[in-house]
DNA sequence: AACCCCCCCAACCGCACCACC
DNA sequence: CGGTGGTGCGGTTGGGGGGGT
C-alpha cells in the first residue's frame, strides 16, 4: 500500500501560476514565512494549490534573490566540472552558483550544455581550454560544502578503510583490465564509455615519492581526516579537468587537483584509484 | 498568412530521506 | 524501532513561443 498523497488532488489547481496566485503567495510568505510547513501553507494563504507546488513556485521563481538566464562561460565550466565529478546532483551544483536554482541548472544542462558535450560538438570547456588555466582551478568553490554533500560513508571490506556506497554508479574501475579513455585533463568524449569495465589514464606527469594519504568522509568534515579511507564518487562520468597525476609503487594513482585552499592546506589534495578497494578515491592531504 | 516543428522551461510526479512521535 | 508526515530532489512532461517553410 502506497503512502497517502500529500494533498487532495481533486481540490487543487494544477498548471501554470497566474499573477494573482503569485502575489498571494509572495504576500503570505512576506508576512508569515513558511511557518515550517509547506503542506498547510496553501490552505492558510487561501491558495488552491498543493504545498509542494507552492514551495517549488517560491524556490524556483518567486524568491527575490533569484538569477535567471544569462549563464556565463564560467558558469558553464563550473556546471561541467561538477557534473563530471558528482553527476546530476543539481542541488549541489546549484549551491555553487548563487542565485541559481537546481531546476534552472538542470534545464540548462538538458537543453544546452549536454548538447555541447556530444562528440564533435564541443564548445563546453574541453581539456585544451581548461588546461590553459594552470590546473583545474576550482578553488573558488566551497569545497567543504561540496564534499559534505557526498553520501554517508559505509565501511567496506578492505582493511581499515571506509568506502562510499555509490549505488552502482561508481566509476567502474577494475584492476584486471586496463583499457579506457580517460584524458588526464579533459572530458571523457563519450560518457557511455565509462560503462566499459576498464580504465587507463594517460598523460600524467611524474611526481615525487609517496607520502601518507588522507581522505575524508562526509560525516567527518575536513577537520576529521583519517588515513586510508577511500571515497567513491557517486557518478558515472569522468570529467577530469586539468588534473595531473601519477601512478606510484603503492598501486595508487595520485592525481593532483591543483586546488588552493583559502583556509587550510588540506585542499591541496589528490585523487587516487586504489587497487585493493576498486574505488575512486579522492585523498585530501599534501600533494605528493 | 498559415502551418509545422522544435526548443525551452515551468511545473508535476514519484521516490528517498529525515524528523518526530 | 517502526510508522507517519513533511521536505528535498531528480526525472520527466507538456504547453507555449519562436523560427522555418
Amino acid at each position: 500500500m502506497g503512502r497517502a498523497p500529500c494533498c487532495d488532488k481533486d481540490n487543487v489547481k494544477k498548471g501554470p501560476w497566474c499573477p494573482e496566485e503569485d502575489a498571494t503567495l509572495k504576500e503570505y510568505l512576506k508576512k508569515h514565512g513558511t511557518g515550517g510547513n509547506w503542506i498547510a501553507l496553501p490552505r492558510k494563504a487561501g491558495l488552491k494549490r498543493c504545498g509542494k507546488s507552492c514551495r517549488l513556485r517560491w524556490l524556483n521563481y518567486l524568491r527575490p534573490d533569484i538569477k535567471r538566464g544569462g549563464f556565463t562561460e564560467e558558469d558553464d565550466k563550473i556546471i561541467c566540472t561538477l557534473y563530471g565529478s558528482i553527476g546530476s546532483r543539481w542541488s549541489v551544483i546549484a549551491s555553487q552558483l548563487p542565485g541559481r536554482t537546481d531546476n534552472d541548472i538542470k534545464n540548462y544542462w538538458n537543453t544546452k550544455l549536454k548538447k555541447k558535450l556530444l562528440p564533435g560538438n564541443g564548445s563546453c570547456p574541453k581539456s585544451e581550454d581548461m588546461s590553459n588555466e594552470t590546473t583545474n582551478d576550482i578553488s573558488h568553490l566551497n569545497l567543504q560544502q561540496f564534499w559534505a554533500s557526498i553520501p554517508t560513508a559505509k565501511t567496506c571490506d578492505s582493511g581499515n578503510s571506509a568506502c562510499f556506497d555509490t549505488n552502482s554508479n561508481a566509476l567502474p574501475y577494475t584492476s584486471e583490465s586496463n583499457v579506457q579513455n580517460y584524458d588526464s585533463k579533459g572530458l571523457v568524449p563519450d560518457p557511455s564509455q565509462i560503462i566499459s569495465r576498464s580504465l587507463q589514464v594517460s598523460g600524467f606527469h611524474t611526481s615525487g615519492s609517496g607520502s601518507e594519504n588522507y581522505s575524508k568522509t562526509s560525516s567527518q568534515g575536513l577537520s576529521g581526516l583519517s588515513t586510508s579511507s577511500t571515497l567513491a564518487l557517486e557518478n558515472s562520468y569522468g570529467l577530469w579537468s586539468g588534473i595531473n597525476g601519477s601512478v606510484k609503487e603503492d598501486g595508487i594513482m595520485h592525481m593532483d587537483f591543483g586546488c588552493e585552499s583559502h583556509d587550510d592546506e588540506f585542499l591541496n589534495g589528490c585523487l587516487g584509484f586504489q587497487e585493493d578497494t576498486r574505488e575512486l578515491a579522492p585523498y585530501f592531504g599534501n600533494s605528493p
Side-chain angles (χ1 to χ4, degrees):
Chain A
M1 183 172 146
R3 54 177 304 172
C6 67
C7 55
D8 181 0
K9 293 194 186 303
D10 292 333
N11 289 319
V12 297
K13 187 181 168 197
K14 297 205 292 188
W17 282 63
C18 65
E20 291 76 25
E21 289 176 308
D22 282 347
T24 304
L25 181 59
K26 263 174 131 171
E27 189 62 24
Y28 182 86
L29 287 170
K30 193 175 157 189
K31 281 186 186 161
H32 306 95
T34 65
N37 189 339
W38 282 104
I39 298 297
L41 187 145
R43 186 173 40 81
K44 291 179 186 169
L47 286 163
K48 283 187 162 46
R49 289 278 181 176
C50 171
K52 286 174 77 170
S53 180
C54 293
R55 177 182 161 270
L56 212 64
R57 183 65 179 170
W58 173 254
L59 292 177
N60 288 340
Y61 201 85
L62 298 175
R63 217 162 24 115
D65 58 337
I66 222 152
K67 205 196 282 180
R68 313 192 66 76
F71 282 88
T72 64
E73 283 285 310
E74 186 64 17
D75 292 338
D76 288 2
K77 284 182 185 177
I78 292 169
I79 295 167
C80 284
T81 303
L82 289 178
Y83 187 89
S85 300
I86 59 171
S88 59
R89 300 180 63 182
W90 306 116
S91 57
V92 177
I93 296 173
S95 72
Q96 303 301 333
L97 296 166
R100 302 288 185 192
T101 69
D102 54 352
N103 206 38
D104 204 19
I105 292 169
K106 181 170 58 182
N107 283 334
Y108 183 59
W109 170 266
N110 284 331
T111 58
K112 307 258 178 64
L113 283 180
K114 195 161 73 176
K115 289 169 189 167
K116 285 188 184 179
L117 283 172
L118 291 174
N121 245 351
S123 54
C124 199
K126 284 204 171 184
S127 47
E128 305 80 40
D129 306 327
M130 295 182 108
S131 61
N132 289 337
E133 301 177 7
T134 63
T135 53
N136 180 29
D137 181 11
I138 53 174
S139 57
H140 57 288
L141 301 181
N142 181 343
L143 286 176
Q144 292 195 7
Q145 189 180 351
F146 174 70
W147 286 115
S149 69
I150 289 183
T152 311
K154 293 182 179 175
T155 304
C156 63
D157 59 356
S158 51
N160 62 349
S161 64
C163 64
F164 285 75
D165 181 1
T166 65
N167 291 322
S168 82
N169 273 338
L171 285 168
Y173 172 61
T174 62
S175 58
E176 64 268 22
S177 52
N178 54 10
V179 193
Q180 178 56 285
N181 300 306
Y182 286 94
D183 179 329
S184 66
K185 299 183 238 174
L187 302 171
V188 172
D190 176 3
S192 64
Q193 294 176 28
I194 307 302
I195 303 306
S196 71
R197 300 185 51 76
S198 54
L199 173 70
Q200 174 186 321
V201 184
S202 58
F204 292 91
H205 68 64
T206 308
S207 63
S209 60
S211 57
E212 194 173 25
N213 291 316
Y214 295 87
S215 67
K216 73 174 284 288
T217 67
S218 62
S219 58
Q220 286 171 326
L222 284 175
S223 59
L225 298 170
S226 62
T227 56
S228 303
S229 297
T230 66
L231 173 71
L233 292 180
E234 187 189 28
N235 86 2
S236 56
Y237 283 41
L239 182 151
W240 307 103
S241 301
I243 297 173
N244 298 307
S246 63
V247 180
K248 292 197 281 192
E249 310 76 32
D250 56 9
I252 296 173
M253 174 170 295
H254 297 260
M255 302 168 75
D256 188 357
F257 281 176
C259 297
E260 290 175 9
S261 167
H262 295 299
D263 52 5
D264 119 19
E265 65 182 302
F266 279 126
L267 293 187
N268 285 321
C270 57
L271 277 168
F273 291 93
Q274 193 162 29
E275 186 109 359
D276 58 353
T277 61
R278 299 186 181 184
E279 300 284 1
L280 171 67
Y283 297 97
F284 282 89
N286 297 324
S287 295

